[in-house]
Structure formats: C-alpha cells, structure tokens
Amino acid sequence: MVLLALVQAAVVAFNVVTFVVAAPAPTDPDALLSRASAPTVSLDQGTFTGASDGFVNRFLGIPFAKPPVGDLRFRLPVASDPYTGPHSAANFGAACPQQDFKLPLTPGLAAEAVDFIVNTFYGLITPDAEDCLSINVWTPTGVKAGANLPVAVWMFGGGFEIGGTNIYNGGAIVKRSIDLKEPVVYVSMNYRVSAFGFLGSKEVKAAGVGNLGLQDQRLALRWVQKYITAFGGDPTKVTIWGESAGAISVALHMVTNGGNTEGLFRGAFMQSGSPIPIGDISHGQKFYDALVSQVGCSGASDTLQCLRQAPYKKLKDAVDASPGIFSPQSLALAWAPRVDGVFLKDTPQNLVLQGSVANVPFVTGDCDDEGTLFALSSLNVTTESQLRNYLSQNFVTGISQSDLDKLLQLYPGDITKGSPFDTSILNALTPQFKRIAAILGDLVFQGPRRFFLQQRSGQQNTWSFLSKRLKLLPGLGSGHATDLLNVYGGGDLADYVINFVNRLDPNGPGGNLNWPKYDTASAKLLTLQDGFNPQVITQDNFRKDAIDFAVKLGLDNPL
C-alpha cells in the first residue's frame, strides 16, 4: 500500500506539472485588471502588445523569420523584415508541422505509467502550420528596456519530430526567479521538426539545406541579440537550455562553427541530451526517397524543388507515414540532425575530440532510466536472437559479431540488472525489455553525457546531475522527461537552472545542496532522488565498462 501511495502521488505530481507547464492565462481579478493595461514593447517601428498576470509579462508568437512556405520550404530561414505597426502578442503562434505518432500504450502497462506518457507526450500535439517560426518572451512585470537581466533561452524536446513552445509556461521560471531575487528573462522559440526541419539525403547536402531546425534556432538566437534589450534582457548574458532534443540541440550549438558562439550565448544547460552519435546526412536517404515517391516526385529532375512545390497536405501525409519516435526503430530516428557539411562538418563526437566546442560553462545531466520509454516500442523483441537482430538492424548497423557478443555480455539478460535500474525483478514487461532499455539509455544518453564531460572537464567549468526521482513509476522508473517536473513544477532543479543563468554556476539562492563541479578525477554527480534526502552527491562510475563500450560503438557506428 505504501508503494502504491507513492506511485499515485508521483502521478498526481505529473498531472500537476502538466497543468503548470500548459496552464492557460489566469482569470483572477488582478490578472484581468492587468490585461486591461496590457504591457507593450517597441521593436523597430512596431509595437507589440502582450499580456500579464500581475507578476510576469508575456509577449507571445512574435515572428522571427519569414514563413518557410512556398519556395522557402526546405530552405535556410530568412529573418523577418523590420517590424512596423501594431501587433498582438497575447497568444502563442502555431507549432511547426507535427509528425503523427502513436503512443506506446501497451496492454498491461500500469495505469500510472499510461498517465505519465499521455500527460508528457500527448500534450505535445499542438495546433500546427508551416507558418510557425515565432518566438516568445516572459519578463518580470515592471522591468524596463535596458534592465540587463540575464536571459534563459529554452529549446523544447520531442525527438526532433514533434513539439512546440505552447506547453511550457515560461512564467513559472520567471516567477521563481523573482522569488529567489535572481530575476531572469525567459525566451522560447518554435523550430521546424520532422522532415520539414531535418530532411536528410545527398540532394539536401548538395543544396546546403540540412539541419534546418538547428538553423531556425540559430536565427532565433540572433533575434535575441538584436531585440532582447527592449524586453529588459542582456544580450551578453544568454544561456541556452533544453531537454531531450532541445538539450541535444544545445550541444550541437556548442560544437558547430568551430566552437565559435558568435556571442550568441555564454552558458549551456542540458537535460537528457549531449553531443550524440549521429552520422552523415546520407543516412537519411531511404526516408527521403520514400517521401519523394509517396509525394509523386520520383520522376522530377530536381526532387527537392518538387517537394517544395508539393501540396502541403500531400507532403504532410507522406511525412506522417514515415517512422516516428515510437515506431519499432525508436531512437534510430528517420528525421534527426546529421552531418551536412554546413552546420555540422563532422559527427558531433568527432567535433568534441577535435576541440570544436564553445568554451563556456555548461551543465549536462540525465535521468536514471532514459531508455525505458523508448524500449516500449520493442516489446515484440523477447528472445536474445531477436535482440541481436534488433540492435544490428537499427542502432549498431556495422557491428561485428564479436562486438555484439561483448555488448550483450556487458548488458546481460538478468532482469535485476536492467532498467529501470535497482528495481530487482519488477518492471520486466518482457524478458528483454529491461535489457533493451539499459542499452538504449546508455547508447544515446548516458554514454554521450559521460564522453562529453570526460573530454571537456578541466578545460571549462562543468557540472552534471543524475535524476533518480519517480523511481517507483511502473515500467518507466526515473524515465525520460521525469526531470521536467523539477523545473516547470517549481522544483529544486529550477533553482539550479536560475542560479546558473545568473551566475554561470548552479549554486546560489534556494537552499539546495552545494553542487560540486565535475572533473575526471572525482566525477561527482548531483543525484536527485525520492525520500528524505532529495539531493546527494554520488560518483559517475556506474556501469563503467558497459558505458565505455557503448561510447565506442557510438563512435564507430553513428546513427
């Protein structure tokens, strides 16, 4: 009964954070009064009218790029023309086109886990349109232009296939920063996802239009440099911050351009994402070819231009038919950042080895059971023979038989060793589920995080965390995205983020445990856990041999 009560409490907490993240504008009398005198900001020759709850002003849906439609589809983003005239900034803009997907709501999965998946991922489905490149700004009420507050720029997650800004309430972060007397300005932007933002093929590489979603983010960062002073922000004090695909995006902004930040940011904070093992953009060729065929462009002399001219619905239907993040291939994404010769001139991990890394302080951390959510897509893999085929066909396609043997020795079939970790015989949804979850979590999340830290500690200030919270969530444990509660729900991780944005050090106001820097000698982790000791310091040495080998496989077999 105690176990059940704890799990139910955890699910209630996630229902709460879903409300906090996606809460509509308040309707209390003070908020209504504040809307009667809505805040305004002048940009160029234009005036934008936002909204306020009495504590935080918000300016939403401001276009930062020309609509990527018509001939601008599948092209680099183009900055908006100078603003003129009056504009409403009271509502979010449309999300970029969302790839259709089916949630992995497997029969037999506990209701608590189903609630978490629905509340975390189903909420990502938002009104979408091709005209979607907009930016949002939250500021403390009363802050004037030139106040020079530090700026947190949020990049959302969603596997580079789904996601938008309107489920993240930046006001919760700004309000907490006011409470800590460490006020910040919060910014979020939409960027193109799925095939619209991460089309991959030799044709795309030749045209120099790969990684458009990352290019959208980069343009939004330039917008921040140009305009954030008008909102009271300091363009020299920008921290880029994200979760999942957003965190990976942050990492890729750190390694692009030879590590030259162009003055766009001075710090980076990554939740469940680091420079990951991704390969050449030609790895997306089969998905591009399928799209071309389904849209009816196979006979075109210029298939890319044909895709630009295709009717939106026809193109969107073809994208929806492509493998999604919860398809059997799971994290071997059809649409993802890849080496395009422009934004990424080499694999992200090779760029790290070459020293192509922004010399700024950074934080990178993971949840303990990153792979569980994505392993739900492979519950039909129940034998070791099937597991061998699954891994070699999707994740380590060039692996030798001896390396595959070694991988499976390091990640044994003993269910007590799998993920969710430290849950004994519980959560074995199939004989291979916990094993697959452990491998995926280490290959895509834990391994790249540890690799990045080991390469950069001692050269710049770094910190790392491990979230073991909600370990009792059935099937998922401390799964991917469980740490979002500790940020948008007003938890301790939010305090660390706010301190970092202000000080380039996560320590400061909030009364939390002192978080030591990461170095290769001590490898100290801030570990967030359930119970009476919510924050402890541990060592980043778990599964050392297994994770070292997973890193090697990623370097040798980039996705």
Side-chain angles (χ1 to χ4, degrees):
M1 292 300 292
V2 173
L3 173 62
L4 179 59
L6 287 171
V7 171
Q8 288 173 335
V11 173
V12 168
F14 267 106
N15 289 333
V16 170
V17 75
T18 302
F19 174 78
V20 170
V21 170
T27 56
D28 60 87
D30 289 341
L32 292 173
L33 180 62
S34 70
R35 280 204 292 271
S37 55
T40 62
V41 64
S42 296
L43 306 178
D44 300 323
Q45 301 304 309
T47 300
F48 289 81
T49 301
S52 177
D53 64 3
F55 300 98
V56 177
N57 293 343
R58 58 188 181 276
F59 300 89
L60 309 177
I62 302 172
F64 68 86
K66 293 183 178 180
V69 301
D71 196 54
L72 290 183
R73 179 193 285 168
F74 300 130
R75 291 196 189 276
L76 296 175
V78 179
S80 294
D81 292 330
Y83 302 112
T84 59
H87 302 266
S88 172
N91 298 298
F92 286 100
C96 292
Q98 305 284 290
Q99 183 171 336
D100 189 32
F101 68 97
K102 294 181 179 179
L103 290 167
L105 304 182
T106 307
L109 192 62
E112 295 87 352
V114 171
D115 285 346
F116 165 68
I117 295 171
V118 170
N119 285 331
T120 303
F121 286 92
Y122 188 72
L124 292 176
I125 300 300
T126 56
D128 62 349
E130 276 197 276
D131 182 359
C132 61
L133 297 181
S134 62
I135 200 163
N136 315 293
V137 183
W138 284 260
T139 70
T141 296
V143 167
K144 304 297 184 183
N148 293 329
L149 298 183
V151 182
V153 177
W154 171 255
M155 298 178 184
F156 62 79
F160 298 103
E161 295 176 353
I162 54 177
T165 59
N166 71 344
I167 69 166
Y168 299 98
N169 179 13
I173 303 302
V174 174
K175 178 62 169 61
R176 180 58 183 163
S177 77
I178 296 169
D179 293 342
L180 292 174
K181 296 182 171 54
E182 297 275 350
V184 303
V185 172
Y186 175 105
V187 176
S188 63
M189 85 288 283
N190 280 330
Y191 61 91
R192 283 173 284 182
V193 293
S194 189
F196 292 89
F198 295 96
L199 201 64
S201 69
K202 63 181 185 295
E203 293 88 348
V204 171
K205 189 171 188 176
V209 293
N211 295 315
L212 294 176
L214 298 175
Q215 296 282 10
D216 294 341
Q217 296 166 359
R218 200 78 172 183
L219 183 60
L221 291 175
R222 294 190 178 100
W223 184 97
V224 170
Q225 289 298 302
K226 184 175 182 180
Y227 292 112
I228 204 62
T229 302
F231 297 89
D234 187 337
T236 70
K237 297 180 180 178
V238 173
T239 295
I240 54 175
W241 164 41
E243 185 268 343
S244 190
I248 295 168
S249 297
V250 167
L252 300 183
H253 284 287
M254 290 184 69
V255 302
T256 191
N257 198 35
N260 181 0
T261 68
E262 304 175 85
L264 298 176
F265 57 93
R266 67 166 188 169
F269 201 110
M270 292 156 275
Q271 296 176 234
S272 299
S274 298
I276 58 172
I278 46 178
D280 191 75
I281 200 167
S282 61
H283 291 189
Q285 190 72 48
K286 66 179 180 180
F287 306 112
Y288 176 90
D289 292 344
L291 200 67
V292 166
S293 175
Q294 291 170 40
V295 171
C297 289
S298 296
S301 58
D302 186 338
T303 55
L304 187 56
Q305 186 61 25
C306 183
L307 291 177
R308 290 192 182 104
Q309 298 169 348
Y312 171 71
K313 185 179 185 307
K314 194 171 186 180
L315 177 61
K316 178 66 164 56
D317 287 346
V319 172
D320 287 345
S322 66
I325 194 170
F326 294 123
S327 69
Q329 70 186 57
S330 186
L331 290 171
L333 301 173
W335 316 110
R338 291 188 170 96
V339 179
D340 63 340
V342 179
F343 197 95
L344 294 175
K345 296 185 182 297
D346 203 339
T347 68
Q349 292 177 319
N350 280 343
L351 290 173
V352 172
L353 291 172
Q354 295 161 18
S356 174
V357 180
N359 188 21
V360 300
F362 71 85
V363 177
T364 181
D366 290 314
C367 299
D368 199 31
D369 300 305
E370 291 284 359
T372 51
L373 180 67
F374 307 105
L376 292 174
S377 301
S378 56
L379 293 184
N380 62 321
V381 178
T382 59
T383 67
E384 181 153 327
S385 174
Q386 291 172 335
L387 176 60
R388 287 174 173 272
N389 290 334
Y390 178 69
L391 294 173
S392 61
Q393 290 174 9
N394 292 288
F395 296 101
V396 281
T397 54
I399 195 170
S400 66
Q401 192 64 41
S402 60
D403 277 352
L404 186 55
D405 290 341
K406 184 174 180 179
L407 178 67
L408 296 183
Q409 289 168 5
L410 291 167
Y411 292 91
D414 181 352
I415 60 174
T416 67
K417 305 295 185 183
S419 181
F421 297 108
D422 304 317
T423 59
S424 187
I425 62 172
L426 300 178
N427 302 304
L429 302 182
T430 74
Q432 300 295 332
F433 169 76
K434 295 181 73 173
R435 195 180 195 183
I436 294 172
I439 293 171
L440 295 188
D442 286 355
L443 186 65
V444 180
F445 297 98
Q446 300 288 4
R449 175 192 61 81
R450 189 177 289 174
F451 168 83
F452 193 28
L453 288 161
Q454 289 174 342
Q455 294 298 319
R456 299 309 301 176
S457 64
Q459 301 187 59
Q460 59 204 99
N461 290 336
T462 61
W463 292 263
S464 190
F465 73 87
L466 181 68
S467 178
K468 290 190 173 187
R469 295 208 173 132
L470 298 187
K471 180 61 74 169
L472 298 180
L473 193 60
L476 301 178
S478 302
H480 187 71
T482 52
D483 57 334
L484 284 175
L485 172 62
N486 295 334
V487 178
Y488 289 94
D492 48 8
L493 195 52
D495 292 358
Y496 285 120
V497 170
I498 291 165
N499 289 334
F500 185 81
V501 173
N502 272 277
R503 303 158 177 262
L504 295 180
D505 184 329
N507 298 295
N512 297 308
L513 185 67
N514 184 72
W515 185 349
K517 291 179 186 176
Y518 190 101
D519 63 70
T520 52
S522 61
K524 290 182 178 179
L525 286 174
L526 172 71
T527 299
L528 307 171
Q529 58 187 20
D530 300 318
F532 296 107
N533 294 308
Q535 305 147 4
V536 296
I537 304 302
T538 61
Q539 194 172 15
D540 189 16
N541 58 3
F542 53 87
R543 299 189 300 283
K544 182 182 184 306
D545 290 344
I547 289 180
D548 285 350
F549 192 66
V551 168
K552 176 186 178 299
L553 290 180
L555 286 166
D556 293 343
N557 303 273
L559 296 172

